């Protein structure tokens, strides 16, 4: 075989070559062959300027040192150099690989193999993060703000409407933005993950529904995400999360950019992504008071308060990204970047907020996908990757753009009464499990790049399911929708990431199927992992009874698995309705300008 077979695979435009699997390329090779290939690919990695080439090269190197070289034979025992260990602990992946390179010759010792695998793996995601930052900084509307380096050029100022207290009550006006969350009937195998969409934009397709929500019996559904802001007569940035019961006053940029183990890290990321404190100020230990003085005048600050109604952690309805979007919208309104303090956003403004919400997710360490910002838009929408065009930030870097197109399906192209049809067929629940979906998204990216055979075939099937799910949804065919979302779950999602399923969820599906027979149409897993947000699609004739029975059924099954799985809460059943507005803002004045009782 050609000695550069991995490089040929990475650089080819021919799908027959480009889509060769890691098993096909590397399985059965001797240790000597693998070491030679690794050396050549490593040199290619540092020469290439193309994002896809560099990330896939790093993942091939990871696979060689983690899987294929150990299968070819054990390495000798030799301690890891202290300098390499320090670099790994400090997350300096490039420096760690520089220290490890002399050991990765003819017979790499076991510790060096393991360390190299970790460094190449983390390097791949760090390269992607750098591109996310660059693309968002160069998105129209972000250029000036995200290249700002000096405080004397800080351009923002809070409009007088926020800084003038009411003469009767003494209260400053209170701004509020509220936003729906999303249900995703199909994400085409997590195709909204940035790297997948940037490499294969034509395959990146999601159907996404904006919904208002409430726990059953707790009132009518309404937008569950809220963000409030107002001026305070104190020179500080006060961050408050009502649902977490946490508040902090921040006075320095070093504190603001410290995300480690901080329950308010999402609020901090929103402040930064909004541009109130630009990301370029990260390494400048500025007094936040100087920035607030620029914004508001001396002696004043800002209070930012968030609330998530009814939805627990791990809902798989993109709560964190939606909350970020609400924070960013509210602060962009308050700093004059969005002209109107009230009402809906324009499509251009939504796209700008979505880009900054993506940045906020990566600053906070989530690394979610771009469909998560779909709640900014109303109704049912198709979100699709876009091929790179000249002038895009990704031109010459990747095949697709970082940001997708968000296309709302007009009501006239949907079945009449689609809101009622969905409400009378979907039993929307939270199973009580709380899991970090981040590792799942990393695994999806890894398997995509390595083109592992079973997973690659499942990904191809996902494209067919998407078209059928969209068609059924448009016609209001709930039986068809349930059939294809179940097929998507069984032969798509679970084939790509078996760990997305669990025994608890599988037993729930089986019990619902046996209880309702042919009137159970199918299962819908929301987001990246089962056990949290999910839906059972049923015949409308049994919908009410199914709603009544679901909580007790989930409780019974939870009791069976409570010692084996990470349950964080009691299972919950939701009511929902289609949201026709997307994110909306209001400005409360006088007596109305009071924060919620919490």
């Amino acid at each position: 075989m050609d000695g550069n077979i991995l490089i040929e695979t990475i650089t080819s435009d021919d799908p027959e070559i480009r889509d060769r699997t890691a098993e096909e390329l590397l399985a059965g090779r001797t240790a000597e062959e693998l070491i030679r290939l690794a050396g050549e690919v490593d040199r290619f990695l540092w020469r290439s300027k193309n994002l896809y080439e560099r990330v896939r090269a790093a993942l091939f190197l990871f696979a060689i040192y983690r899987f294929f070289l150990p299968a070819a034979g054990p390495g000798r025992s030799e301690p890891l150099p202290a300098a390499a260990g320090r670099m790994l602990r400090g997350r300096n992946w490039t420096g760690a690989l520089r220290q490890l390179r002399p050991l990765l010759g003819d017979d790499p010792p076991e510790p060096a193999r393991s360390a190299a695998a970790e460094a190449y793996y983390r390097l791949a995601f760090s390269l992607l993060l750098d591109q996310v930052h660059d693309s968002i900084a160069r998105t129209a509307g972000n250029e000036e703000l995200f290249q700002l380096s000096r405080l004397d050029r800080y351009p923002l100022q809070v409009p007088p409407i926020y800084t003038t207290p009411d003469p009767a009550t003494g209260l400053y006006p209170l701004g509020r933005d509220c936003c729906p969350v999303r249900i995703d009937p199909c994400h085409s195998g997590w195709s909204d993950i940035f790297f997948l969409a940037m490499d294969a934009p034509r395959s990146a397709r999601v159907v996404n529904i904006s919904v208002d929500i409430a726990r059953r019996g707790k009132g009518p559904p309404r937008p569950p995400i809220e963000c409030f802001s107002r001026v305070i007569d104190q020179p500080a940035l006060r961050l408050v999360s009502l649902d977490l019961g946490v508040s902090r006053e921040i006075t320095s940029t070093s504190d603001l950019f410290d995300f480690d183990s901080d329950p308010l890290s999402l609020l901090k990321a929103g402040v930064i992504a909004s541009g109130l404190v630009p990301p370029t100020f990260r390494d400048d230990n500025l007094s936040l008071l100087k920035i607030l003085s620029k914004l508001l005048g001396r002696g004043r600050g800002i209070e930012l308060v968030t609330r998530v109604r009814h939805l627990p952690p791990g809902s798989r309805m993109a709560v964190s990204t939606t909350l970020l979007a609400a924070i960013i919208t509210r602060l962009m309104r308050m700093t004059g970047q969005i002209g109107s303090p009230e009402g809906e956003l324009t499509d251009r403004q939504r796209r700008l907020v979505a880009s900054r919400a993506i940045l906020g997710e990566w600053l906070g360490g989530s690394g979610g996908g771009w469909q998560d910002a779909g709640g900014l838009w109303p109704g049912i929408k198709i979100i699709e990757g876009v091929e790179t065009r000249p002038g895009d930030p990704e031109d010459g870097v990747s095949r697709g753009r970082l940001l997708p197109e968000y296309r709302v399906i007009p009501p006239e192209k949907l079945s009449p009464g689609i809101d009622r049809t969905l409400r009378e067929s979907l039993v929307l629940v939270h199973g009580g499990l709380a899991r970090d979906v981040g590792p799942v998204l990393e695994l999806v990216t890894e398997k995509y790049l390595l083109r592992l055979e079973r997973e690659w075939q499942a990904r191809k099937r996902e494209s067919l399911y998407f078209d059928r799910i969209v068609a059924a949804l448009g016609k209001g065919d709930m039986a068809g929708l349930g059939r294809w979302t179940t097929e998507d779950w069984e032969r798509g999602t679970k084939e790509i990431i078996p760990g997305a399923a669990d025994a608890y969820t599988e037993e729930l599906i089986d019990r619902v199927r046996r209880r309702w027979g042919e009137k159970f149409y199918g299962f819908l897993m929301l987001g990246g992992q089962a056990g949290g947000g999910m839906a059972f699609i049923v015949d409308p004739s049994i919908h009410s009874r199914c709603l009544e029975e679901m909580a007790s059924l989930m409780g019974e099954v939870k009791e069976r698995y409570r010692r084996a799985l990470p349950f964080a809460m009691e299972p919950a059943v939701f009511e929902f309705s289609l949201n026709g507005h997307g994110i909306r803002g209001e400005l409360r004045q006088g007596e109305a300008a009071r924060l919620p009782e919490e």
Side-chain angles (χ1 to χ4, degrees):
M1 287 188 173
D2 186 348
N4 293 312
I5 193 168
L6 293 179
I7 298 172
E8 178 190 25
T9 300
I10 292 167
T11 57
S12 177
D13 289 325
D14 181 353
E16 291 295 321
I17 298 173
R18 184 183 178 89
D19 293 340
R20 290 184 294 204
T21 68
E23 297 105 318
E24 178 185 354
L25 295 168
L26 297 172
R29 288 182 176 269
T30 66
E32 291 75 14
E33 288 178 300
L34 292 168
I35 291 166
R36 175 176 58 80
L37 283 170
E40 293 172 355
V41 174
D42 178 76
R43 289 189 289 275
F44 169 80
L45 165 65
W46 303 109
R47 288 197 312 266
S48 176
K49 302 299 181 185
N50 180 279
L51 176 71
Y52 167 83
E53 291 177 354
R54 299 194 74 197
V55 173
R56 196 171 186 199
L59 262 293
F60 270 137
L61 289 162
F62 155 74
I64 287 173
Y65 288 110
R66 177 71 78 223
F67 306 123
F68 294 98
L69 193 54
R76 68 184 191 277
S77 178
E78 183 178 309
L80 195 68
R86 285 195 300 272
M87 296 286 185
L88 287 168
R89 288 191 295 275
R91 301 183 179 185
N92 182 348
W93 316 121
T94 302
L97 289 167
R98 190 181 302 118
Q99 295 292 327
L100 290 168
R101 198 164 287 120
L103 299 176
L104 301 177
D106 295 336
D107 181 22
E110 291 287 355
R113 295 180 185 189
S114 179
E118 177 69 11
Y120 281 122
Y121 188 86
R122 294 301 162 195
L123 176 66
F125 289 96
S126 127
L127 290 169
L128 180 55
L129 176 57
D130 290 343
Q131 182 59 43
V132 169
H133 285 176
D134 184 62
S135 293
I136 290 170
R138 293 166 61 194
T139 297
N142 288 341
E143 304 95 337
E144 178 183 351
L145 201 57
F146 287 86
Q147 294 173 18
L148 187 69
S149 59
R150 291 170 48 183
L151 185 59
D152 61 353
R153 295 182 179 175
Y154 185 80
L156 303 182
Q157 193 167 25
V158 174
I161 191 171
Y162 290 100
T163 59
T164 307
D166 179 74
T169 63
L171 296 173
Y172 286 102
L174 179 69
R176 171 182 176 264
D177 272 271
C178 61
C179 194
V181 287
R182 62 102 172 113
I183 296 173
D184 55 334
C186 184
H187 49 65
S188 301
W190 298 274
S191 68
D192 61 311
I193 296 174
F194 302 116
F195 190 85
L196 276 65
M198 293 169 76
D199 180 51
R202 291 184 180 181
S203 302
R205 302 188 298 169
V206 176
V207 58
N208 180 297
I209 306 174
S210 290
V211 295
D212 298 336
I213 204 164
R215 291 203 187 200
R216 190 163 184 263
K218 299 294 184 181
R222 54 178 167 174
I225 307 297
E226 292 180 296
C227 181
F228 304 85
S229 71
R230 66 177 177 183
V231 173
I232 54 175
D233 288 322
Q234 185 174 344
L237 178 63
R238 183 184 298 155
L239 304 181
V240 182
S241 170
L242 294 180
D243 40 297
L244 295 179
V246 180
S247 65
R248 284 266 308 284
E249 290 191 355
I250 297 175
T251 58
S252 72
T253 54
S254 60
D255 187 358
L256 184 66
F257 282 95
D258 182 5
F259 299 108
D260 288 344
S261 303
D262 190 335
L264 293 172
S265 61
L266 197 72
L267 278 72
K268 289 180 172 183
V271 171
I272 295 162
S274 75
L276 192 152
V277 180
T280 47
F281 285 4
R282 180 174 198 135
D283 296 323
D284 300 328
N285 190 19
L286 291 169
S287 166
L288 196 57
L289 308 187
K290 293 182 179 178
I291 297 173
L292 292 172
S293 182
K294 280 266 189 182
L295 274 168
L296 297 156
R298 292 175 63 84
R300 286 174 167 173
I302 291 175
E303 183 171 39
L304 182 75
V305 180
T306 62
R307 175 166 62 180
V308 178
R309 294 179 180 272
H310 304 300
L311 288 174
S315 68
R316 306 291 176 252
M317 297 180 199
V319 168
S320 63
T321 306
T322 306
L323 182 58
L324 270 168
I327 294 167
I328 292 164
T329 301
R330 176 90 304 275
L331 291 177
M332 287 181 71
R333 291 189 197 269
M334 194 174 186
T335 55
Q337 298 174 75
I338 293 175
S340 171
E342 298 186 290
E344 299 177 22
L345 300 183
T346 66
D347 193 64
R348 180 183 176 279
Q349 289 168 339
R350 288 185 179 116
R351 285 183 54 80
L352 186 59
V353 171
S355 76
R356 296 190 182 189
I358 289 168
L359 176 64
E361 280 277 27
W362 281 79
L363 286 170
S366 165
W370 44 236
Q371 76 135 322
D372 292 357
L376 287 164
W377 279 262
I380 302 175
K381 69 227 75 127
I382 304 295
I383 314 176
E384 298 175 296
V386 182
E387 292 187 351
T388 300
R389 295 187 283 261
D392 286 338
E394 302 82 6
D395 187 19
V397 173
S398 63
R399 295 179 170 200
R401 295 192 331 214
L402 175 77
L403 297 177
E405 290 292 345
Y406 299 83
R407 177 167 52 87
V408 177
I409 302 176
E412 60 270 18
K413 292 193 175 181
L414 294 166
S415 170
I418 188 63
D419 182 23
R420 181 176 178 180
T421 300
L422 289 168
R423 285 188 285 109
E424 292 182 349
S425 296
L426 265 66
V427 178
L428 188 65
V429 304
H430 189 295
L433 285 174
R435 292 173 169 178
D436 179 7
V437 77
V440 170
L441 303 184
E442 284 192 1
L443 265 178
V444 172
T445 305
E446 173 193 328
K447 292 186 175 188
Y448 170 81
L449 285 163
L450 297 178
R451 303 293 201 267
L452 300 177
E453 181 63 29
R454 184 184 71 179
E455 292 87 340
W456 189 246
Q457 294 305 318
R459 182 165 296 286
K460 290 180 179 179
R461 288 194 292 270
E462 292 266 13
S463 181
L464 300 175
Y465 300 145
F466 176 86
D467 292 328
R468 292 164 182 170
I469 287 168
V470 170
L473 188 60
K475 292 185 293 186
D477 175 12
M478 294 297 103
L481 180 67
R483 180 167 62 254
W484 292 116
T485 56
T486 303
E487 188 80 2
D488 185 29
W489 166 244
E490 295 289 349
R491 301 196 65 225
T493 300
K494 283 165 61 176
E495 288 288 301
I496 296 172
I497 303 291
D502 53 68
Y504 165 70
T505 301
E506 294 300 307
E507 183 164 333
L508 274 179
I509 296 169
D510 183 60
R511 287 204 186 189
V512 173
R513 180 181 287 114
R514 286 189 282 112
R515 171 71 177 88
W516 300 108
E518 292 182 356
K519 294 191 175 183
F520 168 56
Y521 291 156
F523 174 74
L524 170 58
M525 189 270 284
L526 304 181
Q529 201 165 26
M534 46 193 172
F536 298 85
I537 306 172
V538 300
D539 187 293
S541 66
I542 64 164
H543 185 259
S544 295
R545 284 180 290 160
C546 200
L547 277 177
E548 291 171 3
E549 294 181 16
M550 189 57 73
S552 61
L553 174 59
M554 289 191 295
E556 288 175 18
V557 183
K558 171 183 179 284
E559 184 62 23
R560 176 176 166 85
Y561 293 100
R562 65 186 178 87
R563 296 183 185 278
L565 291 169
F567 288 95
M569 54 167 281
E570 288 301 313
V573 181
F574 300 112
E575 295 179 356
F576 70 94
S577 61
L578 201 62
N579 178 286
H581 304 283
I583 194 165
R584 285 201 292 183
E586 63 177 355
L587 192 65
R588 299 176 178 178
Q589 302 186 64
E591 282 294 336
R594 297 186 186 277
L595 284 166
E597 289 183 5
E598 294 98 323

